[in-house]
């Protein structure tokens, strides 16, 4: 009697093991498809943002990513966001590519100096947000930019003579 039960238990264990293996394989496939899709989206955003200036950044993507501890796709996404913000302020694709590259280098230097929680990626995000006037994130990096300094610089770089004329 126990022999038949023993064989039944073995068969059930084998079927259960196969079912678990199939489930894990399907789950891995889903993760890989999602990762591939994310990488493709990042590459598309990167190409759309920088257009003809892509070539100037492509050679450096691997170096930038290694410097930041990111994948090439993650770096492309960060650069695309930075480029998009800068282009929204009036920069050309070439100008935004140059500033995006400079942003990554500066972020790597700041992270190396400050060992920021969140690494170079967080520093890039903080610098990018500062380009749109959001200076709060810079404070956590030890960078303080006072409103009076911004106004004085804007007055020096424009034809305005008072702060109220800047708006």
């Amino acid at each position: 009697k126990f022999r038949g039960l023993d064989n039944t238990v073995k068969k059930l264990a084998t079927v259960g093991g196969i079912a678990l293996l199939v489930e894990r394989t399907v789950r891995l496939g889903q993760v890989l498809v999602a990762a591939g899709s994310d990488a493709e989206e990042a590459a598309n955003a990167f190409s759309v943002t920088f257009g003809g200036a892509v070539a100037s950044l492509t050679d450096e993507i691997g170096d930038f990513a290694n410097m930041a501890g990111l994948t090439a796709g993650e770096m492309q996404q960060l650069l695309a966001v930075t480029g998009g913000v800068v282009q929204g302020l009036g920069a050309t694709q070439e100008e935004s590519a140059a500033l995006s590259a400079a942003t990554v280098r500066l972020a790597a230097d700041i992270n190396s100096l400050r060992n920021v929680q969140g690494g170079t990626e967080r520093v890039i995000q903080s610098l990018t947000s500062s380009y749109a006037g959001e200076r709060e994130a810079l404070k956590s990096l030890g960078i303080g930019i006072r409103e009076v300094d911004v106004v004085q610089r804007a007055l020096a770089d424009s034809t305005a003579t008072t702060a109220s004329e800047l708006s």
Side-chain angles (χ1 to χ4, degrees):
K1 285 184 169 182
F2 289 114
R3 240 184 212 170
L5 182 61
D6 188 38
N7 285 339
T8 302
V9 170
K10 286 180 183 177
K11 287 178 185 176
L12 285 174
T14 301
V15 169
I18 291 171
L20 181 62
L21 178 63
V22 168
E23 182 220 348
R24 297 270 169 98
T25 302
V26 168
R27 192 176 309 156
L28 175 62
Q30 291 170 334
V31 168
L32 292 174
V33 167
S37 177
D38 290 347
E40 186 176 329
E41 287 177 19
N44 287 338
F46 182 76
S47 293
V48 168
T49 302
F50 297 112
V54 164
S56 68
L57 288 172
T58 302
D59 294 339
E60 298 183 78
I61 288 292
D63 293 339
F64 289 161
N66 287 335
M67 193 182 336
L70 303 169
T71 67
E74 290 168 331
M75 183 54 65
Q76 284 180 328
Q77 187 65 39
L78 286 167
L79 288 169
V81 170
T82 301
V85 167
V86 174
Q87 287 174 25
L89 298 172
T92 66
Q93 289 177 327
E94 291 77 17
E95 291 167 336
S96 69
L99 183 59
S100 295
T103 299
V104 171
R105 288 186 201 100
L106 178 60
D109 288 345
I110 291 170
N111 186 53
S112 176
L113 178 67
R114 305 259 186 206
N115 197 23
V116 176
Q117 180 86 20
T120 301
E121 180 177 4
R122 179 163 163 254
V123 180
I124 291 169
Q125 292 166 339
S126 296
L127 292 171
T128 298
S129 69
S130 75
Y131 299 153
E134 300 172 17
R135 299 185 306 264
E136 202 60 34
L138 294 178
K139 288 181 185 177
S140 67
L141 303 176
I143 302 169
I145 300 175
R146 300 176 310 157
E147 182 65 24
V148 68
D149 296 329
V150 172
V151 171
Q152 286 177 346
R153 178 63 186 253
L155 287 171
D157 291 347
S158 72
T159 60
T161 57
T162 65
S164 60
E165 292 176 42
L166 292 171
S167 300

